[in-house]
Amino acid sequence: MDNLPRYIQLSSTLEFSRLVCALERAPRVSFLHEHDGRKVLSIQMDVLRDKPIVYFTPLERNGNYLCYGLRGGKEESTIVDSTSDSSKLYSPIVRIKSLPSTLRPGNGTLDRYQPIELEDLSSLAKLTWGFEEIQFPLFLFPRNDKWLMGIFMNFNDEGHSYFCHVVLDNQPEKPFLKFSVTNGAEPSFVDGPSEHGYAYAKIIRLKDTHPLVDYAHLSN
């Protein structure tokens, strides 16, 4: 057993760009380093019983910033050397020459996120604001012939961590969940956070099924 980080791959660089840039008060820093013999961009998003949970995507090209924006209602993501376009969001890329032993990957933990299945998207949307108005991203991944979408959270520092989620028959094709906190309208999947008067949650798709959810407690 160890408390070394667990690295989990996202499905694309665009998913990583959305994670570090979209709907953030300020874009998060992306870290560039070697992982399993290749260069990756990574960010730590959680801690599971003292074990850092790090999400990553392979590096597609060199540059100083990860650039994210919306044009014509569609997302754009690229790696650039300057922040000259004020209409875009930029995540600074910090290059790590060599990871210390405490940041190298380890898999030896029996701890798992305990799943809590919610009844509907409305219930999930209400949880995305979490505590202290820090918004949680929605993580999406396949399991068997379904898709699970939810947030990872814990209610106190000493207790269990949970995956609060809904089960979907099909993969959402749009990267944001739009919902209202005032009029009770049903949540819907949209291309971007463009309409005023609504709240939004970003959806982040993993490359594979999340390896740290205790699926034995699911009903199917």
Side-chain angles (χ1 to χ4, degrees), residues 74-137:
K74 297 296 183 180
E75 294 177 299
E76 294 181 333
S77 172
T78 187
I79 295 177
V80 298
D81 287 323
S82 68
T83 60
S84 58
D85 187 345
S86 60
S87 68
K88 303 293 180 60
L89 296 171
Y90 297 91
S91 168
I93 296 175
V94 174
R95 295 175 174 84
I96 299 177
K97 185 174 182 180
S98 178
L99 287 177
S101 59
T102 52
L103 290 180
R104 292 171 184 166
N107 297 324
T109 179
L110 297 177
D111 292 310
R112 294 290 184 269
Y113 292 99
Q114 302 302 305
I116 299 176
E117 185 174 349
L118 306 177
E119 286 192 1
D120 50 35
L121 283 174
S122 179
S123 296
L124 180 59
K126 293 168 187 172
L127 280 179
T128 58
W129 285 104
F131 308 109
E132 299 179 355
E133 297 186 353
I134 299 174
Q135 191 175 13
F136 294 127

Side-chain angles (χ1 to χ4, degrees), residues 25-213:
R25 294 175 181 172
R28 299 170 182 258
V29 172
S30 301
F31 292 95
L32 170 60
H33 57 89
E34 188 170 292
H35 172 70
D36 283 346
R38 57 182 174 172
K39 295 291 186 180
V40 302
L41 296 172
S42 76
I43 183 172
Q44 180 180 326
M45 291 297 296
D46 199 7
V47 176
L48 178 62
R49 291 292 182 93
D50 297 325
K51 190 178 186 70
I53 307 301
V54 179
Y55 294 91
F56 75 92
T57 189
L59 181 69
E60 295 181 347
R61 53 163 291 180
N62 289 319
N64 291 318
Y65 301 93
L66 186 60
C67 175
Y68 172 85
L70 290 165
R71 176 181 293 180
K74 297 296 183 180
E75 294 177 299
E76 294 181 333
S77 172
T78 187
I79 295 177
V80 298
D81 287 323
S82 68
T83 60
S84 58
D85 187 345
S86 60
S87 68
K88 303 293 180 60
L89 296 171
Y90 297 91
S91 168
I93 296 175
V94 174
R95 295 175 174 84
I96 299 177
K97 185 174 182 180
S98 178
L99 287 177
S101 59
T102 52
L103 290 180
R104 292 171 184 166
N107 297 324
T109 179
L110 297 177
D111 292 310
R112 294 290 184 269
Y113 292 99
Q114 302 302 305
I116 299 176
E117 185 174 349
L118 306 177
E119 286 192 1
D120 50 35
L121 283 174
S122 179
S123 296
L124 180 59
K126 293 168 187 172
L127 280 179
T128 58
W129 285 104
F131 308 109
E132 299 179 355
E133 297 186 353
I134 299 174
Q135 191 175 13
F136 294 127
L138 295 171
F139 286 95
L140 173 73
F141 52 88
R143 181 178 180 265
N144 298 331
D145 60 344
K146 304 289 186 180
W147 288 83
L148 306 187
M149 185 175 73
I151 62 174
F152 295 98
M153 61 187 303
N154 53 47
F155 300 103
N156 61 72
D157 294 335
E158 303 298 326
H160 291 289
S161 292
Y162 297 93
F163 178 53
C164 302
H165 69 283
V166 294
V167 179
L168 304 173
D169 291 329
N170 300 296
Q171 175 189 350
E173 297 298 330
K174 299 181 184 296
F176 293 89
L177 183 68
K178 181 182 79 172
F179 59 98
S180 174
V181 296
T182 58
N183 62 21
E186 287 298 314
S188 59
F189 297 107
V190 296
D191 288 316
S194 58
E195 290 187 59
H196 294 293
Y198 289 91
Y200 295 87
K202 57 188 173 187
I203 301 169
I204 309 299
R205 183 160 57 96
L206 306 186
K207 184 175 184 292
D208 300 301
T209 299
H210 200 291
L212 295 178
V213 175

